[in-house]
Amino acid sequence: MANIRDIAKYADVSVTTVSRVLNEHPYVSKEKRERVRQAMAELGYLRNQQALTLSTGRTQRFVVVLPYLDHPYYGLFVNGLAKAALQRDYRLVMWQTEYQLDQERQALDLLKHREVDGAILLSHTMSFDEMEMYRQFGPIAVATVGAPETISSVHVDHYAAFVAGLNVLAQAGYIEIGIVLSRQDSPSSIARQQAYFDEVELARERWVWTGYLTSEDGIRLADEFLRQQERPRALFFSSDYVALGFLGELRRRCVRIPDEVAILGFDGHPIGQAFGLSTMYSPNEDIGRTLFDVTFEEMNGATSITNSLTVTYLPGTTL
Amino acid sequence: MANIRDIAKYADVSVTTVSRVLNEHPYVSKEKRERVRQAMAELGYLRNQQALTLSTGRTQRFVVVLPYLDHPYYGLFVNGLAKAALQRDYRLVMWQTEYQLDQERQALDLLKHREVDGAILLSHTMSFDEMEMYRQFGPIAVATVGAPETISSVHVDHYAAFVAGLNVLAQAGYIEIGIVLSRQDSPSSIARQQAYFDEVELARERWVWTGYLTSEDGIRLADEFLRQQERPRALFFSSDYVALGFLGELRRRCVRIPDEVAILGFDGHPIGQAFGLSTMYSPNEDIGRTLFDVTFEEMNGATSITNSLTVTYLPGTTL
DNA sequence: GTACAGTCTGAAACGCGTTTCAGAGCAAGT
DNA sequence: ACTTGCTCTGAAACGCGTTTCAGACTGTAC
């Protein structure tokens, strides 16, 4: 495989000149430029990206950290990231953590070893204190709330978002409301519970279901829900997928919705709309796009930012 | 940031010795090894992965090409890939093509420019002839059928798989059968139609629905299906997600399943099972894992392989 | 006592594109 | 006539870890 020096020799110019042609530097005469072009064509020159990377110190890669690559919740974020990355000619190295702290550390170690230019965390169990130690090795952006000043954050304020959702339910006349959350101890779940107990007069511990992540969990919940004696009249889910599983199972059992139980989802994924799910729309694709842009800008010297977004009600037929 | 030469100077040894310590080469005396370790600790040495990459010619990365990062169909493949990659300390660069040929080319250009060691295509519109031109730059593996000898393939034989599915329906007593496919012109869709017309006596052009990719499409289909005068008694889907959309919408409209229409999916995604979908199970996670391993082995000199897998019937309640 | 094998060490070359710096040549400005 | 400022060119250094090769040394074998 021909390298830049072979080209230089073949075209009888210096390697500097070849490099200048590659980078479209203006200070090359037409003749030499042409000779170099010719040489590259004849020898089938292909620029070695690794050498470029070592030389410039830029990898053109970000690592994207998320618990599960195939969880639909992250789909729209990733989509936004991918679109932004394509525009900037950047690559995304995906890193699945399965909520394991050591996997998050491994992902951020890529930053340390200059294998990527920056890191984007869609979810994390690592403390911000620990995360900040990695900050010196490159920009870090998160999709979660509570990041310190050095770490960029683009997220929805889950407290405010839940307040908004609960207000939608209240305005629709629902008083007995339950909520369905994912991991019990995650910061967003804590914020959501806070909102629930702050806003809902008839809030009950027993009406807070935690540990529901997937559609399958939603189906399981349907069973548990129907078994219960005293049931809320409306359920506010923190995920459309769980809500959909619940909805599908109830419909299968011919439970009337929203007459017997109203459902409000959270996310606004197209699939939810397709099933008529009423939901709180969260601009996840935008968040993904912005996360990329922020990280990119920060790499070029911009300062980190915090951007808190709000959600809007997306009516369906389940409320 | 200290590099290997700084360490050498600090520990008063040669860079070769430092490199040997890094690579755990045995021919280093205990004293020098200790001195080097000490120096690395004191100067906070971090190995530069880019330099290593340039030097060894190995990137420890594969590019994974697929139409949509967030399409659930690819989720299990990607999961298998990710698990295998983690084991080998490899990274996955995800490349979303949206079925654009030029995006596939860009992805394979990474191979040309030595930005990745190999390429794994879960889907492709590129011809195998063109793909073979990239083969010289690194191993390529596909999850589709019909690959030439130089390109590894791990796939399900969609013709055989569809024959198997149609037999399941026949054995359950269904005679009037329709099929629902994704892209009309894709090789797998062609094979499936072939199987349909070969196997089903009452096969009708009008009972072949093409262009259905997502759950939303399945919902749309429900409407179209119910409008139709002469309907088949059973539908065989090429995707669980489309089947689920269809199923959910019919249940919402209180159409009895399987009494009025039987549904057989294809995939075996956990979410399908959750909704009681009868389906043909395809070992996609295994395929992902094997695709990685094959590519990896091939990089180390193994020859390419073709591995055709079969599907099995996974009973549910929709048949 | 002589070979041979194994252990340990480091200089130099290698992978390859970019950047800095010095210098030559030439035209415009005063 | 002299300065200033482009335009063009290339040698050398740089980023940094690995590998090859040659050589020194020690120990065992015959």
Side-chain angles (χ1 to χ4, degrees):
Chain A
M1 307 228 188
N3 64 32
I4 205 178
R5 274 158 244 265
D6 298 329
I7 303 298
K9 209 169 288 173
Y10 193 87
D12 195 28
V13 296
S14 70
V15 292
T16 315
T17 299
V18 178
S19 175
R20 276 195 266 257
V21 172
L22 277 173
N23 294 288
E24 286 169 9
H25 189 286
Y27 288 175
V28 182
S29 62
K30 289 118 271 147
E31 311 93 81
K32 296 213 172 179
R33 186 183 305 276
E34 200 34 59
R35 285 224 304 276
V36 170
R37 289 256 164 77
Q38 191 64 27
M40 294 205 275
E42 285 180 28
L43 299 184
Y45 174 74
L46 292 170
R47 194 197 222 149
N48 184 325
Q49 183 67 29
Q50 300 171 205
L52 197 151
T53 282
L54 174 61
S55 186
T56 60
R58 283 280 172 95
T59 62
Q60 310 227 97
R61 286 188 293 275
F62 289 147
V63 60
V64 176
V65 178
L66 70 180
Y68 295 102
L69 290 177
D70 62 339
H71 193 295
Y73 175 68
Y74 296 103
L76 288 176
F77 290 98
V78 170
N79 238 310
L81 286 167
K83 283 178 183 163
L86 188 62
Q87 267 176 16
R88 305 282 197 172
D89 197 24
Y90 254 68
R91 331 274 174 245
L92 298 181
V93 174
M94 305 301 284
W95 204 275
Q96 172 164 296
T97 64
E98 302 186 354
Y99 292 118
Q100 300 295 305
L101 183 53
D102 74 300
Q103 283 302 314
E104 281 177 29
R105 291 198 179 117
Q106 276 194 42
L108 289 178
D109 279 342
L110 298 189
L111 213 52
K112 265 193 179 175
H113 296 291
R114 311 228 217 1
E115 225 179 306
V116 296
D117 294 335
I120 295 165
L121 312 187
L122 297 181
S123 161
H124 59 97
T125 53
M126 182 182 289
S127 75
F128 281 117
D129 281 346
E130 183 174 355
M131 204 185 289
E132 273 196 291
M133 313 218 306
Y134 287 96
R135 179 59 186 82
Q136 58 181 300
F137 302 109
I140 301 177
V142 298
T144 55
V145 78
E149 237 188 280
T150 54
I151 290 171
S152 281
S153 168
V154 184
H155 62 266
V156 293
D157 176 343
H158 286 296
Y159 182 90
F162 241 53
V163 168
L166 293 166
N167 278 338
V168 167
L169 287 171
Q171 241 145 51
Y174 296 101
I175 296 168
E176 292 148 303
I177 299 171
I179 60 175
V180 182
L181 307 176
S182 56
R183 291 179 304 152
Q184 181 166 19
D185 51 339
S186 78
S188 56
S189 288
I190 291 168
R192 284 159 176 159
Q193 289 186 55
Q194 192 69 50
Y196 175 65
F197 288 109
D198 285 355
E199 290 292 311
V200 179
E201 220 165 312
L202 294 182
R204 299 186 191 181
E205 284 288 354
R206 177 155 45 91
W207 287 353
V208 176
W209 281 270
T210 59
Y212 298 85
L213 275 153
T214 63
S215 303
E216 292 93 307
D217 293 333
I219 293 164
R220 181 167 52 81
L221 176 67
D223 200 60
E224 290 162 16
F225 179 81
L226 293 176
R227 257 188 240 288
Q228 205 156 350
Q229 300 283 336
E230 246 185 326
R231 300 197 286 259
R233 276 282 293 109
L235 277 184
F236 185 14
F237 289 76
S238 66
S239 152
D240 273 0
Y241 317 100
V242 181
L244 277 175
F246 184 78
L247 174 63
E249 180 64 11
L250 288 196
R251 277 188 182 150
R252 198 177 69 77
R253 299 191 186 194
C254 296
V255 174
R256 281 166 302 122
I257 291 164
D259 303 338
E260 295 187 48
V261 55
I263 298 174
L264 178 61
F266 187 96
D267 210 39
H269 198 281
I271 187 176
Q273 289 167 255
F275 283 103
L277 181 67
S278 302
T279 193
M280 301 304 290
Y281 172 77
S282 170
N284 294 349
E285 190 163 348
D286 293 339
I287 291 178
R289 202 186 303 265
T290 311
L291 278 171
F292 180 93
D293 289 340
V294 162
T295 312
F296 186 85
E297 306 281 321
E298 213 176 318
M299 207 181 53
N300 295 319
T303 55
S304 54
I305 64 150
T306 295
N307 199 347
S308 196
L309 303 172
T310 54
V311 300
T312 50
Y313 175 50
L314 209 64
T317 60
T318 62
L319 197 66
Chain B
M1 306 228 188
N3 64 30
I4 205 178
R5 274 159 244 265
D6 298 329
I7 303 297
K9 208 169 288 174
Y10 193 87
D12 194 27
V13 296
S14 69
V15 293
T16 317
T17 299
V18 178
S19 175
R20 276 195 267 258
V21 172
L22 277 173
N23 294 288
E24 286 170 10
H25 189 287
Y27 287 177
V28 182
S29 63
K30 288 118 274 146
E31 311 91 80
K32 296 213 171 179
R33 187 181 303 278
E34 200 35 57
R35 285 226 301 278
V36 170
R37 289 255 163 77
Q38 191 65 27
M40 294 206 274
E42 285 180 28
L43 300 184
Y45 174 73
L46 292 170
R47 195 195 220 150
N48 184 325
Q49 183 68 28
Q50 299 170 208
L52 196 151
T53 283
L54 175 61
S55 185
T56 59
R58 284 279 172 95
T59 63
Q60 310 228 97
R61 284 188 293 275
F62 289 148
V63 60
V64 176
V65 179
L66 71 179
Y68 295 101
L69 290 177
D70 62 339
H71 192 295
Y73 175 69
Y74 297 102
L76 287 176
F77 291 97
V78 170
N79 237 311
L81 286 167
K83 282 178 184 164
L86 188 63
Q87 266 176 18
R88 306 281 198 174
D89 198 22
Y90 254 66
R91 331 272 173 244
L92 299 180
V93 174
M94 305 303 284
W95 204 276
Q96 172 165 296
T97 64
E98 301 186 354
Y99 291 117
Q100 300 296 306
L101 183 53
D102 76 300
Q103 282 303 313
E104 280 178 28
R105 290 196 179 119
Q106 277 195 41
L108 289 178
D109 279 343
L110 298 189
L111 214 52
K112 265 193 178 173
H113 293 113
R114 309 227 215 6
E115 222 178 309
V116 297
D117 293 337
I120 295 166
L121 312 189
L122 297 182
S123 161
H124 58 97
T125 53
M126 181 182 289
S127 75
F128 281 118
D129 281 346
E130 182 175 355
M131 205 185 290
E132 271 195 295
M133 312 219 305
Y134 287 95
R135 178 61 186 82
Q136 58 180 300
F137 302 109
I140 301 177
V142 298
T144 55
V145 78
E149 238 188 278
T150 54
I151 289 172
S152 281
S153 168
V154 184
H155 60 267
V156 295
D157 176 344
H158 285 295
Y159 183 90
F162 241 53
V163 168
L166 292 165
N167 277 339
V168 167
L169 286 170
Q171 242 145 50
Y174 295 101
I175 296 169
E176 294 150 301
I177 298 170
I179 60 175
V180 182
L181 307 176
S182 56
R183 291 179 302 151
Q184 182 164 18
D185 52 336
S186 78
S188 57
S189 287
I190 291 167
R192 284 158 174 160
Q193 289 186 57
Q194 192 69 48
Y196 176 66
F197 288 109
D198 287 356
E199 290 291 313
V200 179
E201 220 164 311
L202 294 183
R204 299 187 191 179
E205 284 287 353
R206 177 155 46 92
W207 288 353
V208 176
W209 281 269
T210 59
Y212 298 85
L213 275 153
T214 63
S215 304
E216 291 92 308
D217 293 333
I219 292 165
R220 180 166 53 82
L221 176 67
D223 199 60
E224 290 161 17
F225 179 80
L226 292 176
R227 257 188 240 289
Q228 206 156 349
Q229 301 282 338
E230 247 186 326
R231 300 198 286 259
R233 275 283 292 112
L235 276 184
F236 186 15
F237 289 77
S238 66
S239 152
D240 273 0
Y241 316 99
V242 181
L244 277 176
F246 184 78
L247 174 63
E249 180 64 12
L250 289 196
R251 278 188 182 151
R252 200 176 68 79
R253 299 190 186 195
C254 296
V255 174
R256 279 166 304 120
I257 292 164
D259 302 336
E260 295 187 48
V261 55
I263 298 174
L264 179 60
F266 188 96
D267 209 41
H269 197 280
I271 187 176
Q273 288 166 259
F275 283 102
L277 182 68
S278 301
T279 193
M280 302 304 290
Y281 171 77
S282 169
N284 294 350
E285 189 163 349
D286 293 340
I287 292 178
R289 204 188 303 265
T290 311
L291 279 170
F292 180 94
D293 289 341
V294 163
T295 313
F296 186 85
E297 306 280 321
E298 212 176 319
M299 205 182 53
N300 295 319
T303 56
S304 55
I305 65 152
T306 294
N307 199 347
S308 196
L309 303 173
T310 54
V311 299
T312 50
Y313 175 51
L314 208 64
T317 60
T318 62
L319 197 66

